[in-house]
Amino acid sequence: MPLASANLTEMTFELADREIQCFYEELQKDAKCNFVFQVVAGGHYDVDCFIEDPRRRMIYRKHKIRQDSLAVKVELSGVYSFCFGNQFSTFSHKKIYFHLEVGEEIPIFATAEGKDSALTQLEASCLSIHTALRSVMNMQTQQRVQALIDHLHAEDMNSHIIYWASSETIILFLVTVGQVIILKRFFTDKRANVTGSLYLGLQPFNVGSEQTSNRKLFGSQICSDIQLDHV
């Protein structure tokens, strides 16, 4: 994908696993190029990076690095490719920030051709303010990148905490239900054993009562037979 023609280009993009993504910029000979990148999220915060000139020659290549910067002078006019690779990662996506600055800064005060003129006090103050503002701008860029890294790290930690807490809640619920079922089954078996024992204890009493009644009937029958014999 082509980059917009500008002195400074900044962007943050996501690089999927097992993928290579390249950006292209047309550079002129003898132009100064300042290239900076940093991995802000994903995996072990590492990525492959390489730069190719218009003849497909490799002028820069690094493997599994988190951040780096490169300042070079262009030797050949043409389209240069700035590529990032995540082939070594099987499932981790990477978020990468980079900026590309091409060319020298245009002086804020134009001087007469072939003459060296001293700056007035007002111009010197303006130049000092301009330099300080550029330093502030660079510091703000670094702070934005660091804030993005911290934000993404906090979101990742929050997701891990939510998943862990949810897992613990589910496990605790299952353990509680299991304990209730086991205790309920234990008391149910004990109650069944007690009921069986009581039934077995009452059964001989009923049998004895039937035998006693039978004996009484047999005794009364014998007495009636004896009385008939006497008659």
Side-chain angles (χ1 to χ4, degrees):
M1 55 185 299
L3 293 174
S5 297
N7 290 331
L8 178 63
T9 302
E10 290 182 301
M11 69 177 304
T12 302
F13 67 97
E14 183 171 349
L15 182 63
D17 55 285
R18 301 180 181 274
E19 185 178 330
I20 297 177
Q21 191 166 353
C22 296
F23 303 88
Y24 303 94
E25 175 74 3
E26 185 174 0
L27 305 178
Q28 300 299 324
K29 185 178 179 180
D30 296 332
K32 290 185 178 180
C33 176
N34 186 19
F35 175 68
V36 179
F37 72 92
Q38 182 175 1
V39 181
V40 298
H44 296 287
Y45 295 88
D46 53 356
V47 70
D48 295 340
C49 181
F50 59 92
I51 302 175
E52 292 182 347
D53 65 3
R55 295 178 181 176
R56 312 301 295 175
R57 292 182 303 180
M58 198 81 63
I59 62 175
Y60 172 86
R61 183 179 182 86
K62 290 292 182 68
H63 180 62
K64 285 188 176 182
I65 56 175
R66 180 170 184 172
Q67 62 181 3
D68 200 7
S69 61
L70 177 67
V72 295
K73 187 175 182 179
V74 179
E75 298 180 355
L76 181 66
S77 299
V79 177
Y80 286 74
S81 60
F82 301 83
C83 300
F84 300 91
N86 194 27
Q87 308 96 311
F88 55 86
S89 181
T90 56
F91 58 89
S92 297
H93 292 203
K94 307 292 175 61
K95 285 189 177 181
I96 302 171
Y97 162 83
F98 83 94
H99 84 257
L100 178 65
E101 186 175 2
V102 181
E104 295 181 340
E105 182 182 359
I106 300 175
I108 58 175
F109 297 111
T111 57
E113 184 177 357
K115 296 182 180 179
D116 294 330
S117 59
L119 298 176
T120 64
Q121 185 176 1
L122 179 60
E123 291 175 342
S125 298
C126 291
L127 182 60
S128 177
I129 293 173
H130 175 72
T131 304
L133 289 177
R134 282 193 61 86
S135 299
V136 170
M137 184 179 67
N138 293 333
M139 292 180 62
Q140 286 180 340
T141 301
Q142 296 176 1
Q143 290 297 323
R144 286 198 303 269
V145 174
Q146 188 61 42
L148 178 61
I149 295 174
D150 295 339
H151 176 72
L152 295 174
H153 184 64
E155 285 187 346
D156 186 60
M157 288 186 62
N158 184 42
S159 300
H160 282 78
I161 291 173
I162 291 176
Y163 293 149
W164 180 256
S166 302
S167 301
E168 284 190 338
T169 303
I170 293 173
I171 293 173
L172 182 62
F173 176 76
L174 294 177
V175 170
T176 303
V177 172
Q179 289 180 346
V180 170
I181 293 174
I182 292 173
L183 290 175
K184 185 177 180 181
R185 183 177 299 176
F186 175 76
F187 285 108
T188 302
D189 294 341
K190 188 174 182 181
R191 184 179 301 175
N193 293 332
V194 171
T195 305
S197 299
L198 292 175
Y199 176 76
L200 292 175
L202 292 174
Q203 187 66 24
F205 176 78
N206 295 333
V207 173
S209 300
E210 292 179 357
Q211 291 179 354
T212 304
S213 60
N214 292 333
R215 288 177 182 176
K216 288 182 179 180
L217 291 175
F218 181 73
S220 60
Q221 186 176 0
I222 292 175
C223 292
S224 60
D225 291 340
I226 292 174
Q227 290 177 0
L228 290 174
D229 292 336
H230 283 289
V231 174

